[in-house]
Each structure stands twice: as C-alpha cells, then as structure tokens.
C-alpha cells in the first residue's frame, strides 16, 4: 500500500490504558513511518491543552494534530492554529438552558481550559466512579469555576467544544431530543458522556483538511480508530483500520480489523500496511 499519512485516534486506539503513553512498539512504528516520509496526524476529541505526554511537541514525527473531533487543526510543534470551527451562541445558549433544565453537569471548552459552574463541579464529585479520570486528570489541572457560563459568551470567547460528562439513563432520551434540535455535531463519547462541537466539525473533515494542508491525496491515508465518532474518518481514509477492542459497528465500517488497543493493535496495523513488515 502507498500510505502517505496515518490518521490516528488516541483514546482507545493509540494510548495505553493509562491514557497517557504509547507502547514502545507503537513509538518505534511511528518513528519508522516518519523516517519513511509518512505524515503522522493524531485526530482526537481532546483539546490542545489536554494532549497526553505521548503526543509531545518534541516527538520525532511531530507535524499536524486535529483536535476537538475536527474542530481545530494545529501544528503540534508550537500550537499554531491553522483552521477552526467553533460553536455559536445559537447553539450554546440553548445547550446551557437544556443542561440546567435536566440537571446535567456541563463544561465549555474555551481555549485555555474547561469552564463550569461550582454546581457542575460538585455534581461530578458526587457521581465519582466513572468520572474519576476526568476529575483528577482534566478538571483539577484545567478546570475553571465561573458563576454563570453565559458570561463566557458575553466575553465573545471561542468555544470549540462542550462536554456533558454524565447523563443519567432516566434523562437520556430527553437529552438526545434536545441535542437533535440544535445546530451542532454531537455523539456519545462514553456510556453516559456526550461531546458537542460545531456542525462543521468531524474527524473525517479534520482528516481531509490535514490532507489539503499537506498536499496528500486522501486515498493515500490510513485511519486508525475504535469509537463511533471514528467511523466517518475510517470511511474517508483510503484504508480504515479498527481496533479489535472496537464496537461491532466500528469494526464493520472499517476495511480491516487489527488487535485490541492494549495488544498493540495500532502498531501492528502500521507495521503491516505502512512498513510492509
């Protein structure tokens, strides 16, 4: 295969169970692909400020990174914004109102961190368990408490993403109806968590924008993913590979299925389809 770009999801695909590191085998495969002239582009729902240590600006293969499920494309080396799609007030105000009405914690991501009210923060602490990683590794270092989220909109800050980190089963259907009525792109990022972005943002769009910036034919790309939001990217790439740990519908959308993420599925795919090993 003539692969010139690897589009790589992070959580559940490239990252180990610690959500911070790559395996030694994946690091070696990425460096070998880079030395062969192949671009490596992480495509993630994460924001620039919350990229894991594995995606360090000093890594050998550093180039472009697609963030917020396609909401932003930046240079990894210095964070320079190359393109962006942001949520407008016509979506944000009703989102805030719906979260308040349904009693849901809500977070707005605006450049340098996550903004949420004290009530939202306390609610997540009470939930505990399934939000432990989010509380300790995301909110503690990057969370900002505000009195009213509407004040952010008055400041005209760019909001690249909104999180509903925990939606109880009893309001799931009503939450989905509220989201479907808004000009947004949204998906379940966890069993009870929702991520919301601009309607113009998608991982597939981020992949195509990276191809445009690097002058690479999308047919010469390989995408690696594991979640529902990765399906459009797997289908837009010339060759889509799902992890063996991915849901059935994700595997069905891919051209091939590798080993599970924690059995070096990403490294095995790169070795086979890019390095020809």
């Amino acid at each position: 295969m003539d692969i010139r770009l690897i589009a790589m999801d992070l959580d559940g695909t490239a990252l180990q169970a610690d959500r911070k590191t790559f395996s030694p085998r994946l690091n070696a495969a990425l460096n070998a692909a880079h030395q062969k002239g192949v671009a490596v582009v992480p495509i993630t729902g994460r924001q620039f400020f919350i990229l894991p240590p594995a995606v360090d600006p000093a890594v050998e293969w550093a180039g472009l990174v697609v963030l917020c499920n396609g909401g932003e494309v930046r240079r990894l080396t210095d964070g320079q914004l190359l393109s962006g799609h942001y949520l407008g007030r016509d979506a944000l105000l009703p989102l805030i109102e719906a979260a308040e009405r349904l009693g849901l914690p809500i977070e707005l991501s605006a450049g340098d961190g996550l903004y949420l009210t004290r009530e939202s923060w306390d609610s997540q602490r009470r939930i505990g368990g399934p939000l432990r990683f989010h509380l300790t590794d995301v909110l503690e270092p990057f969370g900002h408490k505000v009195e009213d989220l509407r004040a952010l909109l008055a400041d005209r800050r760019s909001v690249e993403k909104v999180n509903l980190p925990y939606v109880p089963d009893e309001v799931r259907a009503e939450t989905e109806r509220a989201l479907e009525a808004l000009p947004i792109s949204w998906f379940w990022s966890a069993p009870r968590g929702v991520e919301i972005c601009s309607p113009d943002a998608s991982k597939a769009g981020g992949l195509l924008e990276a191809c445009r910036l690097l002058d690479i034919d999308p047919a010469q790309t390989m995408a690696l993913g594991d979640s529902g939001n990765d399906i459009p990217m797997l289908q837009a790439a010339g060759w889509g590979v799902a992890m063996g740990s991915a849901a059935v519908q994700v595997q069905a959308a891919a051209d091939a299925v590798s080993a599970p993420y924690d059995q070096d599925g990403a490294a095995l795919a790169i070795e086979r389809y890019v390095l020809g090993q």
Side-chain angles (χ1 to χ4, degrees), residues 12-16 225-226 242-246 251 257-268:
T13 299
L15 292 172
Q16 293 296 289
D226 76 299
M243 298 300 99
S245 44
Q251 295 188 29
V257 178
S258 188
Y261 83 95
D262 55 358
Q263 295 177 30
D264 268 323
L268 287 166

Side-chain angles (χ1 to χ4, degrees), residues 16 23 36 40-41 51 56 64 66 75 88-89 99 106 110 114 127 130 134 138 144 167 169 205 239 241 246 264 275:
Q16 293 296 289
S23 73
K36 189 180 177 181
V40 177
V41 181
L51 286 175
D56 186 280
L64 302 183
V66 177
R75 281 201 306 256
R89 289 174 59 89
I106 180 172
L114 293 172
I127 294 164
H134 187 67
V138 180
H144 303 285
V167 179
D169 290 341
W239 190 250
V241 181
D264 268 323
L275 303 178

Side-chain angles (χ1 to χ4, degrees), residues 3-25:
I3 302 296
R4 294 185 56 207
L5 184 151
I6 299 167
M8 181 175 65
D9 171 55
L10 293 179
D11 294 278
T13 299
L15 292 172
Q16 293 296 289
D18 62 5
R19 303 187 186 184
K20 297 178 182 180
T21 60
F22 296 159
S23 73
R25 187 171 183 173

Side-chain angles (χ1 to χ4, degrees), residues 9-69:
D9 171 55
L10 293 179
D11 294 278
T13 299
L15 292 172
Q16 293 296 289
D18 62 5
R19 303 187 186 184
K20 297 178 182 180
T21 60
F22 296 159
S23 73
R25 187 171 183 173
L26 179 55
N27 277 320
L30 292 172
N31 288 337
H34 169 73
Q35 290 161 11
K36 189 180 177 181
V38 177
V40 177
V41 181
I43 299 186
T44 177
R46 295 189 184 217
Q47 303 91 320
F48 191 78
F49 62 82
I50 200 175
L51 286 175
V55 187
D56 186 280
V59 294
E60 180 179 332
W61 46 264
L64 302 183
V65 58
V66 177
L67 304 153
C68 302
N69 300 305

